[in-house]
Amino acid sequence: MMEHSRETSEELAESETVTECGEIEEEESCFQDIEILLEHGVSEKDVNTLKKNGINTIKGFQMCMRKKLKEIEDFNEGKIDLVKEICCKISLANAFVTASEISFQRKQLFKLSTGSKALDKLLGGGIEAMSITEVFGEFRCGKTQLSHTLCVTAQMPGPNGYIGGKVIFIDTEHTFRPDRLRSISERFNLDESTVLDNILYARAYNSEHQSELLNVVCCKLHEEAGVFKLLIVDSIMALFRVDYSGRGEIFDRQHKLGQMMSRLQKISEEYNIAVFITNQITSDFKSPDLATRPVGGNILAHASTTRISLKKGEGAIRIARLLDSPDLEEAETQFLITAGGIDDICKRQFNKHFLLDCLSSFSIVFEVYRDALCRFSSFHNNSMEMYCKFFSLKYFRDWWLSV
């Protein structure tokens, strides 16, 4: 019995070791440091040069176009071919895998809650990692409010073993407010100071600066591997609309925009994070009813993995419509903007106007039969006047809407 238990424990230890090694190999295959090139004959100077240009991983190097690599100092055709050959040997990025393997990998992706169960359901569980989620709409429709809520919910544990992480926020419209984060943190019973410390903020002043900040983002994601889980850009097009004006500059604008969106997609896949961007709208003067459409054209539309349209509803209610997704059907839902961020519409709030109509009809009936009630009622006149006032349409409407 003793020998059998010893053999069993040894087998378990071996299986655990194999599992751990498998997990380590899986992590390394997803995130391989560029310094691995040093073990294959690439000089330390060249590796540091790649880092200075925002290339910190093997996959990051493979994602770069050859003409982009030629712009790097001291990188000629021969050196680029050599490094590419080495990257192909130590990386499985170019290998084919089965659809079953991809299906298994996608099940491991984390999703970030928006703060609203209805909106999470619309998105198939929340904001997905390794993809770009875009929300667009007019002013005051909830884009920035959703961004602030995600800053907090991204730090909370979630399904599939998600333990939470830090957030990077690039602000192009000067709408980031730490005080807003405090009230949202209070709703989720989180420590305000800890929440604020876990958010890395940067203000972008022009479209070039916005692009340069992505190099800093790559460095931070590389320095603190696996710590950051969400990158927010609020908003993606604001500075491009200012820096490029008129039809003569539209080509340059779209070219730069396409490069930035491609960079964001590569960052999301390279470092396994979720990218959330907000976008503005413009009026379509060719349309007879001056319909609105998101800014950025087809470049932005094709680059975004998931697109959501936000519209104003009654009061604090907002309407979200899923317009584009690789695996979700077009649908619509409603949510509420509260002091605690994005939230669901409670039943009382949702049914308030329906009940108001019903009770207003009752008040009309009461007015019709008021004389009969006064005649047969034993109520005192003052009491009857109070009931009449309460059930009058205007008074009751004001009282109900104030609840």
Side-chain angles (χ1 to χ4, degrees), residues 12 34 85 149 151 158 185 189 193 266 274 282 311 347 395:
L12 288 171
I34 198 69
E85 184 179 351
T149 305
C151 284
S185 302
N189 297 318
S193 300
K266 290 173 182 176
T282 184
K311 294 182 180 179
K347 292 182 179 179
Y395 182 86

Side-chain angles (χ1 to χ4, degrees), residues 31-50:
F31 184 88
Q32 295 173 309
D33 199 293
I34 198 69
E35 291 187 357
I36 297 176
L37 294 176
L38 295 173
E39 302 173 5
H40 295 78
V42 180
S43 66
E44 185 175 355
K45 179 184 176 183
D46 291 336
V47 171
N48 291 333
T49 302
L50 291 173

